[in-house]
Amino acid sequence: MSAEREADTSMTLLERLQNNPGDPQAWSLFVERYQPRIRAWCLNWGMQDADADDVAQEVLVKLFAALRKFQYDPARSFRAWLKTVTQHAWSDFITARCKDPGHNARPVDTITESAEAQSDLERQIEDAFDAELLELAMHRVKRRVKPPTWQAFQLTVIEGLFGVDAAQKLQIPVAHVFMAKNRVQKMLREEARILRNEPR
C-alpha cells in the first residue's frame, strides 16, 4: 500500500475533505456515501423523485461548503461537530431557497421548516459517518491481526455462520473461533472510540 493510500485509510473521509477540499477522489467517495442517505431522507419526507435529487444535491453542496469553513476541534466529539456542520448546511440551504426569486412553493418548503425533519437528516448523516467509521476501524484491525483471526470474525459476524461451521471451514477448534471473534470485536470497539475521539 502506498504512503498516500495509507494516509487515506488513516483518517475519515470528512477529515480528508477538510484537509484537502480539492481532492476529487474524496469528493467522489463523499457523494457516493452520503448522497443516497440524503436522497432516501428526502423521499421518506414525501418529496417527489425529481425534488429529492435536487435537494440531495443542494444539501451535499452546502454540506461540502460547511465542511470547508469549519475547523474540527479534537477536544470535541466528532459527531457533535458533524451535527453542527449539518445544521449549518441545512440553514444555508433554507436561506438560499428563500432568497431565490423564481422559487415556487412546493412540499419541500414544509420540510425545511420542520425541526423533526432536520433532526432526522442529522441522524442520516451521522449513520453514514458511523458506517464509514466502522469500515475504517475494520480496515485498521484487519491489518493488525493474523488472517485466521480475521476470517473467524468475518465468518461468524459478517457472514453469520455458526461457530461450529466457521471452525470446520477454518479447521480450527470452536473455542479458537470465539476467542478470535471476541478479540476482533474488542479491537473494533477500541478503534471506533479512537476515531470518534471519545475518552476511555
Side-chain angles (χ1 to χ4, degrees), residues 120-198:
D120 189 32
L121 175 62
E122 290 164 11
R123 276 194 303 275
Q124 291 300 319
I125 291 175
E126 286 175 357
D127 287 349
F129 179 68
D130 285 343
E132 181 188 344
L133 284 189
L134 178 59
E135 186 180 303
L136 184 54
M138 287 174 70
H139 173 80
R140 289 181 176 185
V141 170
K142 184 177 181 180
R143 290 186 336 206
R144 290 172 36 207
V145 299
K146 294 180 179 175
T149 300
W150 182 260
Q151 289 167 350
F153 165 78
Q154 183 170 342
L155 289 171
T156 54
V157 175
I158 298 173
E159 296 180 23
L161 289 184
F162 290 111
V164 175
D165 297 329
Q168 187 175 16
K169 193 167 187 170
L170 296 172
Q171 298 182 343
I172 60 174
V174 177
H176 290 191
V177 170
F178 288 110
M179 285 169 46
K181 171 187 167 184
N182 290 335
R183 179 174 177 229
V184 170
Q185 286 177 319
K186 183 177 179 183
M187 292 172 76
L188 284 173
R189 284 192 294 271
E190 178 62 13
E191 283 294 341
R193 183 195 66 75
I194 291 167
L195 287 166
R196 289 188 182 105
N197 293 317
E198 294 172 350

Side-chain angles (χ1 to χ4, degrees), residues 32-195:
E32 183 181 312
R33 184 175 300 274
Y34 288 86
Q35 193 267 355
R37 285 190 183 266
I38 296 172
R39 187 178 189 283
W41 169 82
C42 292
L43 293 172
N44 188 52
W45 282 92
M47 290 185 207
Q48 300 297 320
D49 275 352
D51 283 340
D53 288 334
D54 290 346
V55 172
Q57 185 64 34
E58 285 184 53
V59 171
L60 274 174
V61 169
K62 299 295 183 187
L63 187 56
F64 182 65
L67 278 168
R68 295 178 72 170
K69 285 187 261 181
F70 276 83
Q71 290 302 311
Y72 171 55
D73 177 1
R76 294 180 58 214
S77 154
F78 203 102
R79 286 175 69 95
W81 176 82
L82 181 59
K83 183 175 181 176
T84 302
V85 169
T86 305
Q87 287 169 348
H88 281 262
W90 186 242
S91 176
D92 290 348
F93 169 71
I94 293 169
T95 302
R97 283 186 72 81
C98 292
K99 287 181 179 176
D100 181 5
H103 171 69
N104 295 320
R106 291 188 297 191
V108 68
D109 295 319
T110 58
I111 298 166
T112 61
E113 298 166 7
S114 167
E116 186 182 355
Q118 179 180 327
S119 178
D120 189 32
L121 175 62
E122 290 164 11
R123 276 194 303 275
Q124 291 300 319
I125 291 175
E126 286 175 357
D127 287 349
F129 179 68
D130 285 343
E132 181 188 344
L133 284 189
L134 178 59
E135 186 180 303
L136 184 54
M138 287 174 70
H139 173 80
R140 289 181 176 185
V141 170
K142 184 177 181 180
R143 290 186 336 206
R144 290 172 36 207
V145 299
K146 294 180 179 175
T149 300
W150 182 260
Q151 289 167 350
F153 165 78
Q154 183 170 342
L155 289 171
T156 54
V157 175
I158 298 173
E159 296 180 23
L161 289 184
F162 290 111
V164 175
D165 297 329
Q168 187 175 16
K169 193 167 187 170
L170 296 172
Q171 298 182 343
I172 60 174
V174 177
H176 290 191
V177 170
F178 288 110
M179 285 169 46
K181 171 187 167 184
N182 290 335
R183 179 174 177 229
V184 170
Q185 286 177 319
K186 183 177 179 183
M187 292 172 76
L188 284 173
R189 284 192 294 271
E190 178 62 13
E191 283 294 341
R193 183 195 66 75
I194 291 167
L195 287 166

